[in-house]
Amino acid sequence: MEIYELIAPCHFGMEAVLKREIQDLGYEISKVEDGKVTFKADAQGIADANVFLRSTERILLKTGEIKAETFDELFEKTKAIPWENFIPKDGKFWVAKANSIKSKLFSPSDIQSIMKKAIVERLKEVYGISWFKEDGAEFPIRVAFMKDIATIGIDTSGVSLHKRGYRKMTVKAPISETLACALILLTPWNKDRILVDPFCGSGTFPIEAAMMAAGMAPGMNRTFLAQGWEHLIPQKCWNNAFEEARDMVNMNIETDIQGYDIDPEALKAARANARMAGVDSLIHFQQRAVKDLHHSKPYGFVIANPPYGERLEDKENLSQLYREIGESFRRLDKWSMYLITSYDRAENDIGRKADKNRKIYNGMLKTYYYQFLGPRPPKRKQKAEDEYD
């Protein structure tokens, strides 16, 4: 099979998590940049990446990288790309998104229009036709300019990969599924450890954790745009990926994952979403305030997206809320706590400086992932022996 370069965008600050995920799938990393990881893979890799990667927003099939400082240069260099290797005669193609940072060409609409014309001219010459029906498979093209260098790719995913297919009900300020997963992957949590989200909202952290615990691939219950590209990706590649995903699922596990919220409507949404995801049997949801958080067992994890106080009416109660978070955490025996928030007095009100923090952009909002680390549990001798049987 032909080897392609694939681009996987992610939240800024999550590149190391995504890189590890791609390597765990067995594919070679070619470049890591702010907000994206580029790697090499064949057609099977395109299917695998879409079905199995948890922390990327989409998978782009890279078609070229060009330097363009004028629109004439953009036209000619776009036209020089062998688009016929990707887009068939009946393909529907358009430049779906363009963005530009620190570049001489900065108008997205002009970039989109000129690139579309260049691709049409190229394909007219190659296919020997003057008009395209564009009634076949879809090929949305994305281009990102950075310091006059344009990276160009075709979107293989279609609907963003954070759309797992389970979140039918949402509440205000939900965290995306891809970011929630990346944040969990930044912790040492595994299915044998307790996980509690005391601000669970529509249930994203507990649901993503439960899917990880049960070995459920994030894309196993949805479709992807490139499933219609049979000239590039044989149907057997998708069949292989989906079959492997089904084989990996194991619901016969014991795990302690809990989601709390004071809002009954949020819990209603969380329970509905967990049922849709097929993991409702693995999560305990309960109406409970953070000040009432407690657990009898040691070595658990709090992973949460508490209120940031972005709205004026929320700010006056924020300091008290974070003090309650700190008080509840101190009552837990040997636990760790991970919080993503933009609230700049979080550590002060919690009453403890985080052991680590990481700057992460949640959309356009700068947030910090505060990591309060508890001790590691002692290794059980029997478990160690079982691993070597």
Side-chain angles (χ1 to χ4, degrees):
M1 282 189 178
E2 187 171 348
I3 300 298
Y4 303 102
E5 269 203 304
L6 305 179
I7 303 168
C10 63
H11 284 83
F12 284 91
M14 295 289 104
E15 298 84 4
V17 171
L18 178 55
K19 176 184 175 183
R20 187 170 69 242
E21 275 202 277
I22 294 167
Q23 289 174 326
D24 287 347
L25 274 182
Y27 297 105
E28 179 189 346
I29 304 294
S30 49
K31 190 187 293 185
V32 178
E33 302 167 90
D34 287 345
K36 65 181 178 182
V37 179
T38 304
F39 63 104
K40 295 178 180 178
D42 56 11
Q44 184 63 58
I46 296 174
D48 289 347
N50 275 291
V51 172
F52 292 105
L53 292 179
R54 298 182 186 275
S55 61
T56 185
E57 299 301 306
R58 62 185 67 249
I59 299 299
L60 303 176
L61 173 55
K62 186 176 177 181
T63 59
E65 190 169 278
I66 61 175
K67 182 174 183 179
E69 299 182 359
T70 68
F71 285 119
D72 285 343
E73 196 174 12
L74 177 62
F75 181 91
E76 293 301 332
K77 289 185 176 180
T78 300
K79 187 181 175 185
I81 293 171
W83 292 101
E84 65 277 7
N85 291 350
F86 310 102
I87 302 172
K89 193 180 294 187
D90 65 346
K92 180 180 179 180
F93 57 97
W94 71 103
V95 183
K97 186 171 183 180
N99 59 53
S100 178
I101 299 173
K102 298 178 181 177
S103 300
K104 294 179 179 65
L105 303 181
F106 55 84
S107 167
S109 59
D110 289 336
I111 292 169
Q112 289 168 292
S113 175
I114 285 163
M115 290 185 68
K116 167 77 176 187
K117 289 176 184 175
I119 299 166
V120 167
E121 288 304 310
R122 168 84 186 201
L123 295 181
K124 279 167 65 175
E125 293 176 8
V126 172
Y127 291 132
I129 56 177
S130 59
W131 184 73
F132 294 90
K133 288 184 179 181
E134 296 197 55
D135 57 357
E138 296 184 349
F139 296 84
I141 297 156
R142 290 179 168 238
V143 56
F145 268 90
M146 171 60 79
K147 297 180 180 178
D148 300 321
I149 303 296
T151 303
I152 307 165
I154 307 175
D155 180 14
T156 73
S157 304
V159 175
S160 174
L161 294 181
H162 81 270
K163 300 278 190 181
R164 317 291 207 210
Y166 67 74
R167 195 156 78 177
K168 303 301 181 184
M169 299 181 67
T170 60
V171 296
K172 64 181 181 182
I175 193 166
S176 79
E177 293 87 332
T178 46
L179 180 54
C181 231
L183 294 174
I184 295 170
L185 289 170
L186 274 174
T187 78
W189 178 81
N190 62 63
K191 68 179 185 297
D192 298 324
R193 308 279 294 274
I194 305 155
L195 186 151
V196 176
D197 178 1
F199 302 94
C200 72
S202 55
T204 309
F205 273 126
I207 292 169
E208 291 293 324
M211 290 176 67
M212 291 165 65
M216 296 177 70
M220 66 180 292
N221 293 318
R222 55 160 286 175
T223 58
F224 307 95
L225 194 60
Q227 286 177 260
W229 303 359
E230 295 189 17
H231 64 298
L232 288 179
I233 311 169
Q235 186 58 45
K236 68 176 183 180
C237 293
W238 297 103
N239 294 342
N240 290 343
F242 287 123
E243 183 179 353
E244 182 180 352
R246 287 191 295 270
D247 289 345
M248 287 172 59
V249 176
N250 177 17
M251 298 300 294
N252 188 28
I253 58 170
E254 289 186 15
T255 192
D256 188 345
I257 299 171
Q258 302 183 31
Y260 305 144
D261 208 285
I262 58 171
D263 182 357
E265 288 302 308
L267 290 170
K268 180 181 177 183
R271 290 186 177 108
N273 292 337
R275 282 194 298 273
M276 185 67 69
V279 294
D280 51 312
S281 64
L282 301 179
I283 306 170
H284 173 68
F285 289 109
Q286 186 177 348
Q287 187 174 356
R288 183 185 291 187
V290 69
K291 64 184 176 62
D292 300 320
L293 172 62
H294 57 81
H295 201 292
S296 60
K297 294 181 180 178
Y299 303 112
F301 288 80
V302 172
I303 304 179
N305 175 37
Y308 301 173
E310 292 304 305
R311 299 187 307 173
L312 192 62
E313 61 266 31
D314 293 337
K315 285 188 182 297
E316 60 187 50
N317 300 319
L318 211 57
S319 183
Q320 175 62 26
L321 178 67
Y322 279 79
R323 283 198 294 270
E324 290 173 356
I325 291 172
E327 289 163 7
S328 293
F329 179 54
R330 283 188 287 275
R331 290 196 300 267
L332 295 167
D333 184 17
K334 303 182 184 71
W335 279 47
S336 298
M337 181 168 69
Y338 296 78
L339 303 177
I340 180 171
T341 180
S342 66
Y343 179 48
D344 56 7
R345 290 183 56 81
E347 291 172 300
N348 182 76
D349 290 339
I350 287 169
R352 174 178 162 181
K353 184 173 175 60
D355 298 286
K356 296 180 181 179
N357 76 49
R358 180 186 290 250
K359 183 165 64 175
I360 294 166
Y361 280 88
N362 186 3
M364 297 302 293
L365 183 65
K366 183 171 72 173
T367 64
Y368 286 91
Y369 193 40
Y370 293 103
Q371 303 166 58
F372 303 90
L373 307 180
R376 294 181 179 180
K379 291 183 178 179
R380 289 179 294 179
K381 184 179 179 183
Q382 185 60 49
K383 183 179 179 182
E385 290 173 352
D386 290 345
E387 288 175 351
Y388 292 97
D389 280 349

